[in-house]
Amino acid sequence: MARDYYEVLGVSRSASQDEIQQAYRKLARRYHPDVNKDPGAEERFKDLNEAHSVLSDPKTRARYDRFGEDFRKIPEDFDERVAAGAGGGFRGRRTAGGGGPRVRYTTGFGDDFGAEGIDIEDLLGSMFGAGAARGGVPGADQEAELPLTVEEAYRGGRRTVTLAGPTGQPRRYEVDVPPGVTDGQRIRLAGEGGRGSGDAAAGDLYLRVRIQPHPRFRLDGRDVHVQVPVAPWEAALGATVPVPTPGGGTAKVTVPAGSSSGRRLRLRGEGMPNPRGANGDLYAELRIMVPPKLSDRERELFEELAATSSYDPRRTR
């Protein structure tokens, strides 16, 4: 982690969840690669997604606040394991030993409970297994990016991913991508992270989804935006036109008579799927297209329209 997550979003450590969401949305719009073409915008956008993924989840945020950048290395049931291994709260003092400085923890209940102190190596042994007690250290969690197209994120499914292994050699992983996965979401591969020493367990590998820019679709969370070309007469008279969907099919949208370029039409539930709730929406943005070359008859009709119509699009309303 190169920067503090709160600093990335420009909020205080006491910021509410609403303030975090508002800050993320504002900055994400500013630095989205489809909008901001500055060289550093894409990297800034990635930092924003990383910070948002941690701070938007109250449990993950609490662990980050408590343990800092090492929060992923601490088991989620840390407190339960410590309580089970030591019987209560702890205070520590550093003592000398043959192997160098060591930390011993004693319970905060006084001598009446017969507490004799708990060596940190014993504590690690109860938390992480026998390997830690013998000097083994659990492997570190690792993270890599998983690039997906909009269509792949929409459909999900099983993918084969090739990454550099611990020795630098390519290593293949089979990954189940859930349908409707969003940019910045992490997929966990248990035990595929850094190797532990001794008999200690390996860490986990987290694949962070990065949805690639698309020539047609633009994502905003689970909502999908797409430009739909329409002819001048379709916009003027109204029409029903096909709209492509990220699932590879088409939907139908009714263009109201008198529509102009830029008008957005909403297709509820046609956006990215959501396994835990309502699907996103698909927004069709109209774009009026003129024939690049007119036939004689088309020119005649347009000239007749120009002579007949009193409409002036530049007139102030």
Side-chain angles (χ1 to χ4, degrees), residues 2 19 25-26 46 65 99 106 118 123 126 135 216 231 233 237 242 281 313:
E19 289 172 332
R25 289 170 183 168
K26 179 181 178 180
K46 292 179 180 178
D65 289 345
T106 57
I118 298 173
L123 180 62
S126 68
R216 175 174 288 177
W233 47 90
L237 303 175
D281 298 327

Side-chain angles (χ1 to χ4, degrees), residues 164-188:
T167 61
Q169 297 298 319
R171 185 173 177 182
R172 293 162 64 90
Y173 300 89
E174 295 296 323
V175 183
D176 290 319
V177 178
V181 67
T182 56
D183 190 74
Q185 185 173 334
R186 297 194 310 163
I187 300 174
R188 174 177 176 246

Side-chain angles (χ1 to χ4, degrees), residues 137-143 166 171 191-197 200-205:
V137 178
D141 291 343
Q142 297 178 342
E143 185 170 301
R171 185 173 177 182
E192 297 292 350
R195 295 178 180 175
S197 63
D204 298 331
L205 173 62

Side-chain angles (χ1 to χ4, degrees), residues 141-219:
D141 291 343
Q142 297 178 342
E143 185 170 301
E145 290 193 351
L146 175 62
L148 298 174
T149 66
V150 172
E151 292 87 351
E152 289 171 337
Y154 181 94
R155 293 190 296 265
R158 195 164 185 82
R159 285 176 53 84
T160 300
V161 179
T162 302
L163 300 172
T167 61
Q169 297 298 319
R171 185 173 177 182
R172 293 162 64 90
Y173 300 89
E174 295 296 323
V175 183
D176 290 319
V177 178
V181 67
T182 56
D183 190 74
Q185 185 173 334
R186 297 194 310 163
I187 300 174
R188 174 177 176 246
L189 301 181
E192 297 292 350
R195 295 178 180 175
S197 63
D199 294 332
D204 298 331
L205 173 62
Y206 290 90
L207 298 180
R208 186 170 295 280
V209 172
R210 295 301 180 196
I211 299 180
Q212 305 302 292
H214 195 280
R216 175 174 288 177
F217 301 114
R218 179 175 62 85
L219 299 185

Side-chain angles (χ1 to χ4, degrees), residues 78-88 90 107 117-118 122-123 126-127:
F78 175 84
D79 289 324
E80 289 81 357
R81 294 192 185 187
V82 170
F90 300 93
T107 65
I118 298 173
D122 295 333
L123 180 62
S126 68
M127 289 173 59

Side-chain angles (χ1 to χ4, degrees), residues 34-105:
D34 290 346
V35 177
N36 192 326
K37 301 304 180 183
D38 290 344
E42 183 175 357
E43 192 63 30
R44 182 80 166 95
F45 186 70
K46 292 179 180 178
D47 290 342
L48 290 169
N49 279 318
E50 168 76 11
H52 177 256
S53 68
V54 172
L55 299 184
S56 63
D57 184 318
K59 291 184 178 180
T60 306
R61 179 184 178 183
R63 286 164 52 74
Y64 171 70
D65 289 345
R66 184 176 179 186
F67 299 111
E69 64 183 63
D70 293 327
F71 75 100
R72 291 193 181 95
K73 300 177 183 179
I74 307 299
E76 292 186 5
D77 57 348
F78 175 84
D79 289 324
E80 289 81 357
R81 294 192 185 187
V82 170
F90 300 93
R91 59 178 181 268
R93 69 177 186 274
R94 189 168 298 276
T95 61
R102 300 163 67 87
V103 177
R104 294 185 64 82
Y105 286 86

